[in-house]
Amino acid sequence: MNDARPAEDRLAALERRLRDLEDQHEIAQLVAAYGPLVDGGEPDLVADLWTEDGIYDVDEITMTGRDEIRAMVRSTNHQGWIKGGCAHFLGPVKVTVSGDDAVAVCHSLMVINRGGSFEEAPEFVVRRATAHHIELTRTAEGWRVTQRTSRVLDGREEAPALLVRGATGRPA
Amino acid sequence: MNDARPAEDRLAALERRLRDLEDQHEIAQLVAAYGPLVDGGEPDLVADLWTEDGIYDVDEITMTGRDEIRAMVRSTNHQGWIKGGCAHFLGPVKVTVSGDDAVAVCHSLMVINRGGSFEEAPEFVVRRATAHHIELTRTAEGWRVTQRTSRVLDGREEAPALLVRGATGRPA
Amino acid sequence: MNDARPAEDRLAALERRLRDLEDQHEIAQLVAAYGPLVDGGEPDLVADLWTEDGIYDVDEITMTGRDEIRAMVRSTNHQGWIKGGCAHFLGPVKVTVSGDDAVAVCHSLMVINRGGSFEEAPEFVVRRATAHHIELTRTAEGWRVTQRTSRVLDGREEAPALLVRGATGRPA
C-alpha cells in the first residue's frame, strides 16, 4: 500500500529524522574519540574536540581554551600517566540535542597500570570514577565541546547532580 | 546515473531502514541512561525506563513494577552507595529488534570509592562485573524495558548463558 | 518552504547518508558483540566476527584465521577465565569508514573475579587495560574484521600509538 502523503513531505520528514540521528552519532563519536586521543598523547587532536575558547572544568583545574587543553596533554604529569600505562575509559553517552546545542552525559574510569612487566601479570587499578557533563555547539566544522564539567564520584554531591542534569539535557 | 526504482519504492525503503536505525539508537540511549540516573539517585526517572509492570531481576532480588524499582533507588542501601561514591558503568549494548520487541545485551561494572578524600588519592574498586540481558517493547511513549535479568560474572553458569542469549537476540 | 532540489537528488543524498550511518552502526555492533560472545564462550560466533582468514594479533599471540580464533575460545586457558568469572569489557568505538574498508578504535578492560562466593562480597580486579585497533572490510555477509591489533596499556609505546592511528582512521 502506498503512503498517501506527498513525496515532498516524506522527503522533508526523512531529512529531519536523519539529521537528528547524524547529530547524535557525531556527538557520540566526538566524545568516544577523547579517550584514545588523550591516552595517545595528541595535544592538537584532543584540543580540537573543544571550540577555540571551550572550557574543560575538572576537579583540580579549569582549562579555558584549546591552548590550556593542549598544555594539559603535553604536561609532565599527563605524559607520566601515558608512560606508566593508562586508560581514560569512557562509557556510552546519552545525548540530548536542541537545535544547534546539545548536552551529553557519561561516566569514565581512569585505569592505571601499577607497574611490572606484562610477563609478571601487572595489575591495573581504578584511580577514579568520574561523572562528565558535556555541553556542545554546532560549528561550521561540526559539533564541538563548549564546556565539559567532570567531577569524581567519591561522594561529593556535585557528581551525582551532574549526572542527572546531563541525562535530562539540562545545563551544568 | 539515476536510480531506476520508482521514487515511491525508494522512499519506503528509506523509511524502513531509518526506522530500524532509530529503534536501535533509542534502545541504546535508554540503556545508556540507566547508569547516570541510578547513580544520580532519581527514582522516577530510573523506574520510567521500564514498563509499568516491568521486571528487574538481579541476583539478590527481583523487583516487579515501577514502584519496586523506585523503592530500590530510594533505599538506604542504594543511597549509601551514592553517598560513598559509586559508578554503575555500563558497556555498549548489542541490540536485536524484531518488530515491536527487542533484546539488548551488555556488561556493567559497579565501581565504588573505597573512601578517603580526593586529595588523598582515593582508590576505587570494582565491586562487581555483571551480565545484563534486557528485553524491551515498543510502547506509545517509546521503547521500555519489560524484563532486565542481571547476573554477576563470578563463575556462575547463568551469567555467560545470558550474554550468549542476549547477543543472539533470544529471550532470557 | 519546499526544497528546490529535484527529488532524485534528495533521494540519492538520503540514501548515501543513511548508508554511512548504517555502516558505522553495523561496525559498532560487531565490535560490541565481541565481549558478550567471548565471555559466553561461543567459538563459532566469536570467529564469525572476523573474515575467514582474519588476523587477531594480541600481545602474547597472533591468531590467523577463524580456526585459530575458535581454538583460543575453546582453550583451557580461556574456559578457565569464564569458569572463574570474567568480563571482557569494551568501550565505545570510534569508527572511520572509507568505502568498503574501515578502521575502529576502542579500549577494553579485562575484569576478573578474584574468587569467593557472591555472598562473601567477592572483589573483582582489572587484569588488563588494552588498546584495540580494528581493521574491517565489507563482505557479502556484512562487515567483518580483517585484523585486530591489541596491545596492553602498560607503558609500552605501541599501545598509545595504536590508539592514535585508530582514532585518525589510519592502518595499524
Side-chain angles (χ1 to χ4, degrees):
Chain A
M1 198 182 74
N2 285 7
D3 192 314
R5 290 175 301 156
E8 165 65 29
D9 292 0
R10 293 170 71 182
L11 277 168
L14 281 167
E15 286 161 353
R16 200 167 44 240
R17 287 163 54 193
L18 185 57
R19 179 164 157 146
D20 283 350
L21 268 191
E22 287 172 336
D23 282 342
Q24 300 218 22
H25 176 73
E26 186 186 329
I27 290 167
Q29 289 283 290
L30 189 85
V31 177
Y34 176 79
L37 291 175
V38 85
D39 289 328
E42 286 288 319
D44 291 333
L45 297 176
V46 171
D48 193 48
L49 303 175
W50 273 260
T51 55
E52 187 61 48
D53 56 355
I55 292 169
Y56 186 8
D57 172 359
V58 200
D59 293 278
E60 321 93 317
I61 181 178
T62 297
M63 292 157 269
T64 303
R66 287 185 184 156
D67 281 346
E68 295 190 14
I69 296 169
R70 275 186 206 102
M72 176 274 289
V73 179
R74 288 196 190 106
S75 69
T76 312
N77 192 30
H78 184 76
Q79 294 292 324
W81 293 122
I82 295 173
K83 286 195 187 81
C86 181
H88 285 80
F89 196 103
L90 273 75
V93 285
K94 166 89 166 51
V95 181
T96 308
V97 177
S98 313
D100 295 334
D101 296 306
V103 171
V105 69
C106 66
H107 289 100
S108 77
L109 301 177
M110 183 178 174
V111 177
I112 56 170
N113 180 21
R114 199 149 38 184
S117 71
F118 183 71
E119 289 67 28
E120 291 157 7
E123 276 190 312
F124 288 78
V125 292
V126 181
R127 183 173 172 259
R128 277 197 231 172
T130 304
H132 302 278
H133 180 291
I134 304 165
E135 299 179 43
L136 304 105
T137 191
R138 189 195 308 273
T139 75
E141 287 77 41
W143 287 93
R144 290 292 182 277
V145 177
T146 53
Q147 171 142 3
R148 173 165 153 178
T149 311
S150 302
R151 292 291 179 272
V152 64
L153 284 152
D154 67 351
R156 63 187 68 193
E157 286 177 15
E158 299 160 80
L162 274 181
L163 291 175
V164 175
R165 285 202 295 277
T168 53
R170 285 178 288 156
Chain B
M1 197 182 75
N2 284 8
D3 193 315
R5 291 175 300 157
E8 165 65 31
D9 292 0
R10 292 170 71 181
L11 277 168
L14 280 167
E15 286 161 351
R16 199 167 46 239
R17 287 163 54 193
L18 185 56
R19 180 164 158 146
D20 283 350
L21 266 191
E22 286 171 336
D23 283 342
Q24 299 218 23
H25 177 74
E26 186 187 328
I27 290 167
Q29 288 284 289
L30 189 86
V31 177
Y34 176 79
L37 292 174
V38 85
D39 290 327
E42 286 288 320
D44 291 333
L45 297 177
V46 171
D48 193 48
L49 303 175
W50 274 259
T51 56
E52 188 60 49
D53 56 355
I55 291 170
Y56 186 8
D57 172 359
V58 201
D59 294 277
E60 322 93 316
I61 181 178
T62 296
M63 293 157 268
T64 302
R66 288 184 184 157
D67 281 346
E68 295 190 13
I69 296 169
R70 275 185 206 101
M72 176 275 287
V73 179
R74 288 196 190 105
S75 68
T76 312
N77 192 31
H78 185 76
Q79 293 292 324
W81 293 122
I82 295 174
K83 285 193 188 82
C86 181
H88 287 80
F89 197 103
L90 274 75
V93 284
K94 167 87 165 54
V95 181
T96 308
V97 177
S98 312
D100 295 333
D101 296 306
V103 171
V105 68
C106 67
H107 290 100
S108 77
L109 302 178
M110 182 178 175
V111 176
I112 57 171
N113 181 20
R114 204 162 16 196
S117 70
F118 181 71
E119 289 67 28
E120 290 157 8
E123 277 191 311
F124 288 78
V125 292
V126 181
R127 184 172 171 260
R128 276 197 233 172
T130 304
H132 302 278
H133 180 290
I134 304 165
E135 298 179 42
L136 304 105
T137 190
R138 190 196 307 273
T139 76
E141 287 78 42
W143 287 95
R144 291 291 183 276
V145 177
T146 53
Q147 171 143 2
R148 174 167 153 177
T149 310
S150 302
R151 293 291 180 269
V152 63
L153 284 153
D154 66 351
R156 64 187 67 195
E157 286 178 14
E158 298 160 83
L162 275 180
L163 290 176
V164 175
R165 285 202 296 278
T168 52
R170 286 177 286 156
Chain C
M1 199 181 75
N2 284 6
D3 193 314
R5 290 175 302 156
E8 164 65 31
D9 292 0
R10 292 170 71 184
L11 277 168
L14 280 167
E15 287 161 350
R16 200 167 46 239
R17 287 163 53 193
L18 185 56
R19 178 164 159 149
D20 283 349
L21 267 191
E22 286 172 336
D23 282 342
Q24 300 218 23
H25 177 73
E26 185 187 327
I27 291 167
Q29 288 284 290
L30 188 86
V31 176
Y34 176 80
L37 291 175
V38 84
D39 289 329
E42 287 288 321
D44 291 334
L45 298 177
V46 171
D48 193 48
L49 303 175
W50 273 258
T51 54
E52 188 60 48
D53 56 355
I55 292 170
Y56 186 8
D57 171 0
V58 200
D59 294 278
E60 321 94 317
I61 181 179
T62 296
M63 293 157 269
T64 302
R66 288 185 182 155
D67 280 345
E68 295 190 14
I69 296 170
R70 275 185 206 102
M72 176 275 289
V73 179
R74 288 196 190 106
S75 69
T76 311
N77 192 30
H78 185 76
Q79 293 293 323
W81 293 122
I82 295 174
K83 286 195 187 80
C86 182
H88 287 79
F89 196 103
L90 274 75
V93 284
K94 167 89 166 52
V95 181
T96 308
V97 177
S98 312
D100 295 335
D101 296 305
V103 171
V105 68
C106 67
H107 289 102
S108 77
L109 301 178
M110 183 178 175
V111 176
I112 57 172
N113 180 21
R114 202 155 27 189
S117 71
F118 182 70
E119 289 67 28
E120 292 157 9
E123 279 190 311
F124 288 78
V125 291
V126 181
R127 183 173 172 261
R128 276 196 233 172
T130 304
H132 301 279
H133 180 290
I134 304 165
E135 299 180 41
L136 304 105
T137 190
R138 190 196 307 272
T139 76
E141 288 77 41
W143 287 94
R144 291 292 183 274
V145 178
T146 52
Q147 170 143 3
R148 174 167 152 177
T149 311
S150 303
R151 291 291 179 273
V152 63
L153 284 152
D154 66 352
R156 64 186 68 194
E157 285 177 16
E158 299 159 82
L162 274 180
L163 291 175
V164 175
R165 285 202 296 276
T168 51
R170 285 176 287 155

